[in-house]
Amino acid sequence: MNKPIADKTARIVSEQPIGATVQTVVDTLFARIKSDEYTLDARLPSERTLATELGVARNTVREALDVLETHDVIRRRAGSGSFVTYQSNAPRNVETNTVADDTSPLNHLVVRGILEPEIVRLAVINMTPRMITELSNTLSQIEAVQTSVDDFIELEERLYTQIAEGTGNPLLASCYNLAIETYRQSFRNKLRRRALTPKRMQDYQKRYNTLFNAIASRDVASAVEFIKLHLVEEQQLLLQDL
């Protein structure tokens, strides 16, 4: 059985014999994770997507992911995918931590109020049918959550990330990812988990279904109006919870 590597800045080498192609995929994915192309808690592309992108068999990707999971670089969740658990020591993460320390919940809502209406507007215009299908799949998983706060938060972040990526604007998506990361590092663990009762999760499930319907029907006005009202309600809930 493989053992976690002591120094994750080193190349990962499996103690069990693996093929050269599998090792190449391990090295490629680990390099992306170390460089923060796949950041902490980010979901990796699907096995099928990685196999196509890297020009290898799907079984090769699966074996490489097994190696990364054994070394605590990723974790895999049935039905959800593979998520990064490795945290780089790069200066950019330190910078993000500093921003998180200085960001209050209200600061974060202000940034969301600036970014989300434009993100939703562009997503409605630019999301491809495949992106909308993936968004629908994430929504279905959100709607299946009944009591698990961790599962709900993870899927909620994925939903917002997919919408941001659907804008077709990588810089805007990166700005929003920074907002998510800042939220996660600063106050989400305490405030968000305390606020997410089963009843409130049900309310959010209905809201996200409404948002998805507006995006899927390419209704820009309804989608933008919805997200603006949603943000107002989020602010009211925040002031009650503080």
Side-chain angles (χ1 to χ4, degrees):
M1 182 176 180
N2 293 324
K3 297 178 181 178
I5 53 176
D7 179 5
K8 290 195 176 82
T9 62
R11 180 171 180 257
I12 292 179
V13 179
S14 173
E15 291 184 1
Q16 299 296 328
I18 60 173
T21 305
V22 174
Q23 184 66 59
T24 298
V25 174
V26 170
D27 292 343
T28 299
L29 295 178
F30 188 43
R32 292 179 180 181
I33 291 169
K34 286 193 297 181
S35 67
D36 284 340
E37 181 176 343
Y38 303 140
T39 57
L40 179 66
D41 292 329
R43 182 168 65 102
L44 297 185
S46 67
E47 291 179 1
R48 187 184 304 277
T49 299
L50 288 172
T52 301
E53 179 186 342
L54 299 175
V56 299
R58 190 170 175 180
N59 285 342
T60 300
V61 172
R62 186 176 297 120
E63 191 173 345
L65 293 175
D66 286 341
V67 174
L68 291 172
E69 184 176 36
T70 300
H71 289 85
D72 297 329
V73 175
I74 65 169
R75 60 184 171 88
R76 301 165 83 183
R77 302 187 60 175
S80 296
S82 301
F83 298 85
V84 176
T85 54
Y86 168 80
Q87 186 166 16
S88 169
N89 292 321
R92 189 170 68 83
N93 281 341
V94 175
E95 203 170 290
T96 303
N97 288 335
T98 301
V99 173
D101 290 340
D102 294 336
T103 301
S104 71
L106 286 175
N107 290 156
H108 188 265
L109 268 178
V110 169
V111 173
R112 287 182 62 190
I114 294 170
L115 294 179
E116 286 185 14
E118 183 63 11
I119 285 173
V120 167
R121 184 185 73 83
L122 290 174
V124 172
I125 296 170
N126 295 323
M127 287 190 88
T128 65
R130 181 181 63 81
M131 288 177 170
I132 291 176
T133 298
E134 291 176 353
L135 193 67
S136 176
N137 292 337
T138 300
L139 178 62
S140 296
Q141 293 179 55
I142 288 176
E143 291 176 334
V145 177
Q146 296 183 351
T147 57
S148 174
V149 173
D150 287 338
D151 287 349
F152 188 89
I153 288 176
E154 184 177 283
L155 290 165
E156 183 184 51
E157 288 182 352
R158 187 193 306 173
L159 185 83
Y160 277 107
T161 298
Q162 287 173 327
I163 294 172
E165 291 173 349
T167 65
N169 186 321
L171 181 57
L172 184 57
S174 294
C175 290
Y176 194 69
N177 284 336
L178 176 60
I180 290 177
E181 181 64 22
T182 300
Y183 191 20
R184 182 188 299 126
Q185 291 183 22
S186 55
F187 46 84
R188 164 157 268 179
N189 285 340
K190 296 179 292 184
L191 184 62
R192 185 62 165 164
R193 280 174 168 77
R194 188 180 73 225
L196 273 177
T197 62
K199 183 177 183 302
R200 190 167 290 179
M201 280 193 284
Q202 289 178 0
D203 180 52
Y204 280 118
Q205 288 164 344
K206 293 176 183 177
R207 293 189 192 189
Y208 293 145
N209 186 64
T210 300
L211 176 60
F212 170 78
N213 288 336
I215 293 174
S217 62
R218 306 292 185 181
D219 188 340
V220 174
S222 294
V224 172
E225 182 65 18
F226 169 83
I227 203 66
K228 287 181 178 178
L229 290 174
H230 177 67
L231 287 166
V232 170
E233 292 176 5
E234 285 275 272
Q235 182 173 352
Q236 292 172 345
L237 289 172
L238 175 63
L239 292 175
Q240 291 175 12
D241 292 333
L242 287 177

